[in-house]
Amino acid sequence: MPTYHRGEIAVQERAGLARQAEFSLGGIGESVPPVARDFLAQQPWIVLGGADRDGRVWATQLTGGAGFLRVPDPRTVTVGALPLPGDPLAEVLTAGPALPIGMIAIEPATRRRMRVNGRARREEAGLRVDIDQVIANCPKYLQKRNHRWAGPDEAGPADRTVTAGTELSKAQQRKVRAADTFFVATASDRGDADASHRGGNPGFVQVLSPTLLRWPDYVGNAMFLTLGNLLLNASAGILVPDWETGDTLHLSGTARTVWDAEDIATAPGAQRLVEFSVQAVREITAASPLRWTSPGYSRFNPPVG
């Protein structure tokens, strides 16, 4: 039977939303229902979160043609792709024991999404994920986009480059400030991983320095899976996709929740703030063959102060 761990419960209680969280618990299951199976089969990409061999948490993405995500039985998801060399999770997902992993599948065109948490191990040219949790999420703060596959005259695998660092360059800072969407990976103190989505109008993520980001935590479903993990384990990873070029910006570091009322008041719509300290940066060009249209912003996005 699905339950919350002690970090999630502590955040729910501090936010005064324990009763709502109890109701939202009905959105967490242990198997994939038929409607979710069909949804996954239609998706060309999925975001994953997990820890590398050094214990750093990262978020990344995998892509594939129709049917690359399959549900052979209600407690299993298979992913017909592996991370490419240079991806921060390539080593642990292509070799080694089963890895606790969080996944989130999003269909921007319809603003539908679902999360699957479990344990992944390599199986031939892909991954087999044994499911621990299947989580239904609301569509708030998702920007509408349609996708297409990159053409032969656009950047592809032969153009891929990988750049690593320990802080954000000026150009990377501009990318973060312009983002309307990013993905965040966290893990509990037991290592159980989760991947989630954050969205808002461009500028909702503040770059306070080359190694410090801040974003608002808006009204949600009161589960607090991300903030609950951070209370027990500060390690976190961020993926900022470039929807137009297929480039990806991966950040790994630590994060904390800010509860100070004066700080929160500086961000319209914020219920709390999250500060992320950057410790490692990985930028990959031509990481994805998907190209996406300009966004239709969610009507739920608060204004940016």
Side-chain angles (χ1 to χ4, degrees), residues 81 163 196 233 255:
T163 305
S196 188
N233 176 9

Side-chain angles (χ1 to χ4, degrees), residues 112-128:
R112 292 193 294 168
R113 66 179 182 174
M114 65 173 291
R115 286 150 78 175
V116 178
N117 297 336
R119 300 179 187 277
R121 64 180 185 274
R122 182 169 181 174
E123 189 173 79
E124 298 179 352
L127 300 172
R128 177 185 177 91

Side-chain angles (χ1 to χ4, degrees), residues 89-110:
L89 292 179
E91 185 179 4
V92 291
L93 286 175
T94 56
L99 178 74
I101 198 165
M103 303 191 298
I104 181 168
I106 285 184
E107 187 174 68
T110 62

Side-chain angles (χ1 to χ4, degrees), residues 278-295:
V278 178
Q279 296 175 343
V281 179
R282 189 84 55 93
E283 186 169 18
I284 306 176
T285 64
S288 169
L290 295 174
R291 301 294 182 269
W292 302 81
T293 59
S294 298

Side-chain angles (χ1 to χ4, degrees), residues 13 55 59 81 90 118 150 158 173 195 275 303:
E13 291 177 346
Q173 292 177 47
E275 287 189 349

Side-chain angles (χ1 to χ4, degrees), residues 1-10 12 17-28 133 135 221-225 232:
M1 178 179 296
T3 60
Y4 294 118
H5 64 57
R6 60 187 178 89
E8 294 158 347
I9 292 170
Q12 293 160 5
L17 295 170
R19 181 171 296 181
Q20 183 180 338
E22 184 177 351
F23 174 81
S24 295
L25 189 60
I28 301 178
Q133 291 180 316
I135 304 159
N221 55 23
M223 291 180 182
F224 296 112
L225 307 187
L232 304 181

